[in-house]
Amino acid sequence: MNHPNRVTRLAARLERALLVTSLVNIRYLTGFTGTSAYLVMRPDGGTLITDGRYIEMAQDLAAAIPGIDLKQHAANLMEVLVGAIGPDTEAFDVEADHVSWAFARRLQDAATGRVLPATGIVEALRKVKDSDEVDALRRAAAAGDHAFATLDGLLETAESEGDLGLGLIDSMRAAGGDAAGWPPIVAVGANAARPHHRSGAGDLAGAGLLLMDYGCVVDGYHSDMTRTVWIGDNTDPEMVEIHAAVLEANEAGIAAALPGAKAHDVDEACRAVLRAHGYEEFFVHSTGHGVGLEVHEAPWVKKDSEDVLEAGHVVTIEPGVYLPGKGGVRIEDMVLVTEDGNDVLTRSTKEMRPA
Amino acid sequence: MNHPNRVTRLAARLERALLVTSLVNIRYLTGFTGTSAYLVMRPDGGTLITDGRYIEMAQDLAAAIPGIDLKQHAANLMEVLVGAIGPDTEAFDVEADHVSWAFARRLQDAATGRVLPATGIVEALRKVKDSDEVDALRRAAAAGDHAFATLDGLLETAESEGDLGLGLIDSMRAAGGDAAGWPPIVAVGANAARPHHRSGAGDLAGAGLLLMDYGCVVDGYHSDMTRTVWIGDNTDPEMVEIHAAVLEANEAGIAAALPGAKAHDVDEACRAVLRAHGYEEFFVHSTGHGVGLEVHEAPWVKKDSEDVLEAGHVVTIEPGVYLPGKGGVRIEDMVLVTEDGNDVLTRSTKEMRPA
């Protein structure tokens, strides 16, 4: 695994100690997968801190990363943290997005040095995926594709949106993808007009429009994909037109997602297509987001993003058009930016009538 | 629903405005179940604040609660929050456990008044469950009991700990319980010696000791139960003895969980039984916790708890004994404290050989 390399890269960027409290960031740096840990990173090394439940797991992880030692805490957490930061430290950084205000106050009470708020330091490293991460993301995307390939079979037994969502989860699990922390969004007919529809009893028989937004987890890495199809006869001409426009926008976004591209220009590439078709006002969300240990993470593909795409970034491209009370279409792919272009990790057909 | 009553009780306790940011607390007070909202509570009323995705849901909820109005925010969140708090407010409280340090800093920058850290205000109300909540908790506990009643059938097909965990989830779902955000802990043999074992490929064939800690969700309310049984022949005499001691401790804890009892005395009631049997050092966690909209919430049944049990509290009683490398036994029930005693919501048999 690449944890030693990740830790070295972070240490090289630090001017003073950084208390990492995000469990996702700690997992990225050390492989720790328990529910409670802290990582003090210093320019010269680091200390992983956890409690008795996870100390055995943490011993193995710390032993595999040069420069990282291990401390156990119980009720004396603040004392152990301050000890690892260094009692004589004049000032140190804390991940201000990932500690509660109450925690920051307790830490300042315990520390002699000044506690400074820091944001996005580890997240900036996480934007660029290494080979292990790309491999896990590919397998997660493939499990999503496998589930889409089983759609005909799932529709034979699923009666409701909720049934179909569970069926997609089962299919992904069969392909090696663990259930994600969020349920599939399955929306039929007018329900598809709500971008965050909560799947319920919506009847699949002769559904017409069917939107599915779902994903899974492989080795901690997420997939995220959306397809919108038509079930049954009598395709609605307006939805066919919208589907074609959204697909064109999705392809334009992918074509723009190149190394060196500004993320807000990728967003604009999608938006321009929908504007040309008269649907811009119905594209009510941003174009996409990074995917990794979190299903939504940097870089952000949206209007006011300051991110610039680089080789190793994995982002979604997911334009959508939603007509309230009528229906909606979204098409979402995961895209790996490469040195000389990109590689679309989601491989399922995007046709409205895939059968 | 009891939301108007809950909001009135909270408002009566406030001396100044309180910004509620915990989504669980906001759900408790208003019924809001989306993923982003804020609630400004003032002694004279309150303002529910959300974004465009949830504004329709929030309109219905706010309309049902006298004194609560609704505001929508977009990128101007801090401005909307400060407006709802009251621009002339000299000082106001914020849930310091439920905002990030970064958020607290942004809020202080936007506000003219002083931002003060508050903790546990809504959580204190949530400790005492009302009739709607007790009803949901009863149904969640019953779904857990239903799953335990299907154990023989599940064991016929489950090959691994993970399989059995999924089977328990399916059984609870069939009884009306939604999947919880945490997977069942299913641990066979020596795996049961780890209180937080992560279920994996552990082989169920002739398992011997089998520990199952699991729960579900009904209308947002959690259940949580643990049973430890013996599968197959040749019961281990040491584990039989431990099971009897843990069961005696569980019953002593339940007998002590009465209105007016100090929570730390309930913990001691369990601990004293295990001490008498020579197992105290192997009881490495606390006795229990409140259960409600969160699976772990106040009141806390542990050594240093300052909670005093009252009618309407629902807590777990879950003593356990863990022998490293050999195995472990835990027995966990949900207990509703009543005016004149208590009512054990978990009804499954606690025998080691239930068949």
Side-chain angles (χ1 to χ4, degrees):
Chain A
M1 288 299 285
N2 294 318
H3 301 121
N5 182 37
R6 295 174 195 169
V7 162
T8 303
R9 283 168 61 217
L10 175 58
R13 289 179 173 216
L14 296 180
E15 292 180 10
R16 53 180 167 258
L18 167 67
L19 172 58
V20 183
T21 57
S22 154
L23 285 170
V24 176
N25 287 344
I26 293 171
R27 178 176 188 163
Y28 173 75
L29 292 165
T30 68
F32 181 89
T33 55
T35 62
S36 180
Y38 302 85
L39 179 65
V40 173
M41 283 296 305
R42 300 173 304 267
D44 66 344
T47 303
L48 179 61
I49 296 160
T50 187
D51 61 46
R53 293 173 295 172
Y54 299 113
I55 203 76
E56 283 185 50
M57 177 209 293
Q59 266 159 359
D60 294 343
L61 297 172
I65 308 173
I68 297 291
D69 62 7
L70 179 67
K71 286 219 171 77
Q72 183 170 344
H73 79 86
N76 60 344
L77 173 61
M78 289 298 155
E79 193 184 309
V80 174
L81 291 177
V82 169
I85 290 159
D88 300 332
T89 305
E90 279 182 26
F92 60 96
D93 284 325
V94 171
E95 290 191 311
D97 287 321
H98 305 302
V99 291
S100 71
W101 186 23
F103 182 98
R105 289 169 51 87
R106 285 197 299 275
L107 185 61
Q108 183 61 85
D109 285 346
T112 48
R114 273 193 309 143
V115 184
L116 303 175
T119 59
I121 296 178
V122 183
E123 286 84 347
L125 294 181
R126 283 171 46 203
K127 286 197 281 190
V128 178
K129 272 65 182 178
D130 59 35
S131 58
D132 287 351
E133 296 182 287
V134 169
D135 179 58
L137 288 162
R138 275 189 200 283
R139 286 182 288 141
D145 284 334
H146 171 80
F148 189 71
T150 67
L151 181 62
D152 282 353
L154 297 176
L155 286 170
E156 282 174 22
T157 55
E159 292 182 1
S160 67
E161 294 170 342
D163 285 349
L164 181 55
L166 293 175
L168 290 167
I169 292 173
D170 285 344
S171 287
M172 288 187 286
R173 189 178 282 139
D178 297 328
W182 52 287
I185 296 169
V186 177
V188 297
N191 291 344
R194 291 196 291 265
H196 293 84
H197 175 64
R198 190 173 165 187
S199 302
D203 192 353
L204 290 184
L209 200 65
L210 172 64
L211 182 152
M212 293 157 290
D213 182 349
Y214 63 96
C216 64
V217 180
V218 170
D219 291 348
Y221 287 80
H222 289 76
S223 66
D224 192 5
M225 66 179 281
T226 307
R227 289 294 182 268
T228 308
V229 300
W230 189 272
I231 305 299
D233 305 324
N234 301 321
T235 323
D236 179 334
E238 186 173 27
M239 289 299 154
V240 171
E241 195 180 307
I242 290 174
H243 191 282
V246 171
L247 179 53
E248 189 183 330
N250 165 273
E251 289 170 345
I254 292 170
L258 302 174
K262 291 176 178 167
H264 67 76
D265 287 339
V266 179
D267 180 85
E268 173 57 20
C270 287
R271 223 164 280 279
V273 170
L274 296 174
R275 186 180 305 130
H277 286 282
Y279 293 125
E280 185 184 18
E281 68 179 298
F282 303 107
F283 179 23
V284 293
H285 52 71
S286 52
T287 287
H289 52 82
V291 191
L293 286 170
E294 293 179 287
V295 67
H296 299 126
E297 61 180 40
W300 306 102
V301 187
K302 58 181 182 178
K303 269 186 190 173
D304 58 354
S305 176
E306 294 179 4
D307 284 309
V308 175
L309 297 185
E310 290 177 42
H313 286 190
V314 175
V315 297
T316 65
I317 301 293
E318 49 177 308
V321 168
Y322 312 92
L323 299 188
K326 285 189 174 175
V329 174
R330 180 165 66 255
I331 300 174
E332 175 183 23
D333 291 316
M334 285 167 65
V335 179
L336 166 67
V337 180
T338 60
E339 294 291 345
D340 55 0
N342 64 45
D343 184 3
V344 181
L345 304 186
T346 313
R347 299 288 168 88
S348 298
T349 174
K350 307 179 196 180
E351 295 303 306
M352 193 173 185
R353 303 294 301 255
Chain B
M1 289 300 283
N2 294 319
H3 301 120
N5 182 37
R6 295 175 195 168
V7 162
T8 302
R9 283 168 62 218
L10 174 58
R13 289 178 172 217
L14 298 180
E15 290 179 9
R16 53 180 168 257
L18 168 67
L19 172 58
V20 183
T21 56
S22 153
L23 284 171
V24 176
N25 287 344
I26 294 171
R27 178 177 187 164
Y28 173 75
L29 292 165
T30 68
F32 181 89
T33 55
T35 62
S36 180
Y38 301 86
L39 178 65
V40 173
M41 284 295 306
R42 300 173 304 265
D44 67 343
T47 303
L48 179 61
I49 296 161
T50 188
D51 61 46
R53 293 172 295 171
Y54 299 115
I55 203 76
E56 281 184 50
M57 177 210 293
Q59 267 159 358
D60 294 343
L61 297 171
I65 308 174
I68 298 290
D69 62 8
L70 179 67
K71 286 217 171 77
Q72 183 169 345
H73 78 85
N76 60 344
L77 173 62
M78 290 297 155
E79 192 183 311
V80 173
L81 290 177
V82 169
I85 289 160
D88 301 333
T89 305
E90 279 182 25
F92 60 96
D93 285 324
V94 172
E95 290 190 312
D97 287 321
H98 305 302
V99 291
S100 71
W101 186 22
F103 182 99
R105 288 168 52 88
R106 285 198 298 274
L107 184 61
Q108 183 63 82
D109 285 347
T112 49
R114 272 192 312 144
V115 184
L116 303 175
T119 58
I121 297 179
V122 182
E123 285 85 346
L125 294 180
R126 281 171 46 201
K127 286 197 280 189
V128 178
K129 271 65 181 177
D130 59 36
S131 57
D132 286 352
E133 296 181 287
V134 169
D135 179 59
L137 287 162
R138 274 189 201 285
R139 285 182 287 141
D145 285 333
H146 171 80
F148 188 71
T150 66
L151 180 61
D152 281 353
L154 296 176
L155 286 171
E156 282 173 22
T157 54
E159 292 181 3
S160 68
E161 295 170 342
D163 285 349
L164 181 55
L166 294 175
L168 290 167
I169 292 172
D170 284 345
S171 287
M172 289 188 284
R173 190 178 280 140
D178 296 328
W182 52 287
I185 296 169
V186 176
V188 296
N191 291 344
R194 291 196 291 264
H196 294 83
H197 175 64
R198 191 172 166 188
S199 301
D203 192 352
L204 290 184
L209 201 66
L210 173 63
L211 182 152
M212 294 158 287
D213 182 349
Y214 63 97
C216 64
V217 180
V218 171
D219 291 349
Y221 287 81
H222 289 74
S223 65
D224 193 5
M225 67 179 280
T226 308
R227 289 294 183 269
T228 308
V229 301
W230 189 272
I231 304 298
D233 303 324
N234 302 321
T235 324
D236 179 334
E238 187 175 26
M239 289 298 154
V240 170
E241 196 181 305
I242 290 174
H243 191 281
V246 171
L247 179 52
E248 189 184 329
N250 164 272
E251 288 169 347
I254 292 170
L258 303 173
K262 291 174 178 168
H264 67 76
D265 288 339
V266 178
D267 180 83
E268 172 57 21
C270 287
R271 223 162 280 278
V273 169
L274 296 175
R275 187 179 305 130
H277 286 281
Y279 294 124
E280 185 184 18
E281 68 179 298
F282 304 106
F283 178 24
V284 294
H285 53 71
S286 52
T287 288
H289 51 83
V291 190
L293 286 170
E294 293 178 286
V295 67
H296 299 127
E297 61 180 41
W300 306 101
V301 187
K302 59 181 181 178
K303 269 185 187 169
D304 59 353
S305 176
E306 295 178 2
D307 285 310
V308 175
L309 297 185
E310 290 178 41
H313 287 190
V314 174
V315 296
T316 65
I317 302 293
E318 50 177 308
V321 168
Y322 312 91
L323 299 188
K326 286 190 172 175
V329 174
R330 181 165 66 253
I331 301 175
E332 175 183 23
D333 291 314
M334 287 168 63
V335 179
L336 167 67
V337 181
T338 61
E339 293 291 346
D340 55 0
N342 65 46
D343 185 2
V344 181
L345 304 186
T346 314
R347 299 288 169 87
S348 298
T349 175
K350 305 179 197 179
E351 296 303 306
M352 193 173 185
R353 304 294 302 256

